[in-house]
Amino acid sequence: LEHELFKKFPGFDIWHDLGDYGARINASTSKNRTEFHEILPAGRVASALQLEALRMRSAPLTGLLTEKTVVRNEFERGKNNPSSYHRELVYIVALMEGSPIGTQHDIEEILNNRDKLQAFKNEFYCCANAALVLSGTFDPDEVLQQIHEQFGDLPAGKSTRDGRGKDQAEPILPQKGMRSVDTPGEMPMATLSFRVGDGVSREGIALQLVSLWFSSAAAGPFADMLQSDPELHGVEADYDRVHGTSLFIVWIIPVSGGDTTSRVERLQNQILARLTSPCGMTEETLTDLKKTLSQRWHTETNSPTAGAANTARLISWGAWGRPGGQWMGITRRRRRPPATAGSHLPVCLRA
């Protein structure tokens, strides 16, 4: 759907109407959202709003056959990337969640079933499931009026976010413990993965600090191991703050060569032992980590694109204003609170 919604149809030619004026146009899809975004001259905001409303209302989904090759290529690139494929397998084992792109069977089945894809679009790509965020230099009252004109008569649709704020049960896993998987490439990799709670919380911020610390090499908790163990190349942490259950992953990267299996198991056990012992984080280290995270938040907050995207995520998750709802510090600065267009489309202006 992400690809299809860029295709030209009567009244909609985003590459001409915005691209010819120097706009940067793109989109991305993750496990629980798709984002469409444009960086454009302030004078083209009205055109962008008109195009986005038209895309939501009338995109015909007529080019599915041409998308098969594109989606297959993206699928194969992911499977041929060792770290991406390893991460996908970790999520399948730990959370029973596959990649957003699906399986080869999913691609063939969905792209051969236009009616099914259209039904999916109608259910999820509606105002009740969307959030519109504008960031930059513009007149907020004038832009809000334009939003009402373009989106106000669109059907609200039914929200699929109902109940998002409630506790979520962890999945029942088919197995626990250590598991080996084969990935392309010659570099050995190992992970220790821990299921963690809602990232839109104070605990999520704490885990973000821990992730920074684990990835700090000489300043982190594994510094002595990295210096003394010739078979250990690196240790890093991977934590993606999302709404709902997620994973905190510790990546262990051995040096290539030799008996990979025995070395990986030894390093896993040593890292796990380190994780379950007193961590040794000093007040000075904690202060430095807070400064680093604060600087990242400040950079993100002052970026029109990142700030707008992060705000949209919070609104779409129903997490705006919740304690710990800072997504890279998005609530550290005052914002015009989300308004609502006539079609129940949440709107946030960062003028």
Side-chain angles (χ1 to χ4, degrees):
L1 271 176
E2 177 195 316
H3 293 186
E4 273 294 294
L5 296 182
F6 280 100
K7 287 199 166 56
K8 179 180 177 180
F9 61 88
F12 182 89
D13 188 353
I14 197 168
W15 302 108
H16 174 268
D17 295 339
L18 295 182
D20 285 359
Y21 290 87
R24 291 168 55 189
I25 306 164
N26 211 334
S28 64
T29 297
S30 66
K31 286 184 173 63
N32 54 16
R33 66 182 181 275
T34 293
E35 300 171 2
F36 297 92
H37 45 267
E38 299 97 31
I39 305 174
L40 67 162
R44 305 302 298 179
V45 170
S47 297
L49 292 173
Q50 182 180 19
L51 290 167
E52 289 298 346
L54 189 60
R55 169 155 49 190
M56 185 179 291
R57 177 191 291 115
S58 307
L61 309 185
T62 56
L64 296 182
L65 291 179
T66 62
E67 286 306 313
K68 276 191 176 183
T69 302
V70 178
V71 177
R72 282 191 193 120
N73 287 341
E74 288 191 0
F75 175 83
E76 291 168 2
R77 280 205 307 270
K79 292 295 181 284
N80 289 320
N81 182 303
S83 58
S84 296
Y85 186 46
H86 190 124
R87 193 174 193 274
E88 178 183 340
L89 292 173
V90 167
Y91 269 81
I92 290 174
V93 172
L95 294 180
M96 300 180 69
E97 291 183 358
S99 167
I101 202 169
T103 65
Q104 186 77 42
H105 178 266
D106 294 331
I107 295 170
E108 301 299 329
E109 180 186 20
I110 293 174
L111 292 180
N112 284 322
N113 192 333
R114 180 183 178 277
D115 292 340
K116 186 174 183 179
L117 197 60
Q118 184 69 58
F120 182 91
K121 175 183 179 294
N122 293 341
E123 179 179 2
F124 292 98
Y125 284 56
C126 62
C127 291
N129 284 322
L132 176 63
V133 178
L134 282 81
S135 176
T137 303
F138 52 81
D139 183 316
D141 295 324
E142 179 182 343
V143 167
L144 191 57
Q145 179 59 36
Q146 293 171 351
I147 293 171
H148 278 283
E149 292 173 358
Q150 297 298 334
F151 291 89
D153 63 345
L154 290 181
K158 182 179 179 181
S159 173
T160 59
R161 295 193 296 262
D162 295 342
R164 275 291 189 90
K166 301 177 181 177
D167 293 336
Q168 299 181 12
E170 291 188 350
I172 299 174
L173 301 182
Q175 63 182 75
K176 297 182 179 180
M178 190 174 295
R179 176 177 174 181
S180 297
V181 295
D182 292 326
T183 59
E186 297 181 357
M187 176 180 287
M189 289 180 290
T191 54
L192 291 168
S193 305
F194 305 88
R195 282 181 293 172
V196 294
D198 193 350
V200 189
S201 63
R202 290 190 174 93
E203 288 76 12
I205 298 175
L207 286 171
Q208 206 167 7
L209 288 169
V210 174
S211 176
L212 282 175
W213 186 42
F214 281 13
S215 303
S216 297
F222 311 109
D224 59 327
M225 296 177 62
L226 291 169
Q227 293 174 357
S228 62
D229 195 327
E231 295 185 328
L232 180 61
H233 177 72
V235 180
E236 296 183 359
D238 177 3
Y239 173 55
D240 186 16
R241 283 183 65 192
V242 299
H243 185 37
T245 304
S246 185
L247 291 181
F248 186 97
I249 305 175
V250 180
W251 290 83
I252 305 166
I253 309 171
V255 175
S256 298
D259 184 354
T260 299
T261 301
S262 62
R263 286 188 299 114
V264 166
E265 290 181 353
R266 178 181 67 80
L267 292 172
Q268 276 184 316
N269 289 330
Q270 288 181 342
I271 295 294
L272 184 59
R274 181 63 57 90
L275 293 177
T276 55
S277 62
C279 65
M281 180 186 288
T282 64
E283 286 293 334
E284 181 180 4
T285 299
L286 180 58
T287 299
D288 290 341
L289 290 170
K290 288 181 178 179
K291 288 180 180 179
T292 300
L293 186 57
S294 179
Q295 289 170 354
R296 291 191 181 184
W297 280 353
H298 183 74
T299 300
E300 291 282 344
T301 302
N302 286 284
S303 165
T305 51
N310 293 335
T311 303
R313 291 168 195 168
L314 283 176
I315 296 173
S316 66
W317 290 338
W320 182 272
R322 280 178 46 188
Q326 298 94 326
W327 179 275
M328 298 302 283
I330 198 64
T331 60
R332 288 169 63 86
R333 290 173 54 188
R334 296 182 63 184
R335 293 281 181 267
R336 185 185 180 99
T340 304
S343 55
H344 308 289
L345 171 70
V347 176
C348 184
L349 307 181
R350 304 175 69 236

